[in-house]
Amino acid sequence: MLWSYILKLVVLLPLVCGLMIGCLYLWRRLEGRMTKQQATRMLKVQETMMLSPGLRLAVLEFEGRKLLVSVGKGGVTLIDKAGDSAP
């Protein structure tokens, strides 16, 4: 009785772990394709960079202008603006 349980554990545990890793791998590959289909959005995230565990910088594009914002636990703060603005 105990040996059948151990045999099932030895066979099924790697199978379940392999399925889980395969699903995560496919999710990461398909997630990149899903964002390309959303080309009609007005706001685009150009790049993000993690500064610390609770703070991230992001470059956003909105109506031809680029905005640098910091995103943290306290909220979103505009740091700088750049883009096509009239002189």
Side-chain angles (χ1 to χ4, degrees):
M1 184 66 129
L2 181 65
W3 292 108
S4 67
Y5 173 74
I6 291 174
L7 183 63
K8 287 179 186 177
L9 183 68
V10 167
V11 171
L12 292 177
L13 186 63
L15 181 67
V16 170
C17 289
L19 286 172
M20 186 172 62
I21 290 170
C23 287
L24 290 173
Y25 174 75
L26 286 174
W27 176 260
R28 287 192 74 179
R29 289 198 49 141
L30 293 176
E31 185 179 25
R33 293 180 185 170
M34 287 190 294
T35 58
K36 291 179 184 175
Q37 294 173 354
Q38 300 172 352
T40 59
R41 295 199 170 217
M42 294 178 59
L43 181 68
K44 294 180 185 175
V45 178
Q46 295 291 323
E47 187 176 348
T48 62
M49 181 169 60
M50 184 76 83
L51 295 179
S52 68
L55 186 62
R56 178 183 302 236
L57 282 179
V59 177
L60 308 174
E61 184 177 345
F62 177 69
E63 292 184 355
R65 302 183 79 190
K66 291 189 178 182
L67 308 170
L68 178 65
V69 296
S70 70
V71 181
K73 294 179 183 175
V76 178
T77 306
L78 178 65
I79 296 176
D80 195 14
K81 302 185 232 186
D84 301 326
S85 56

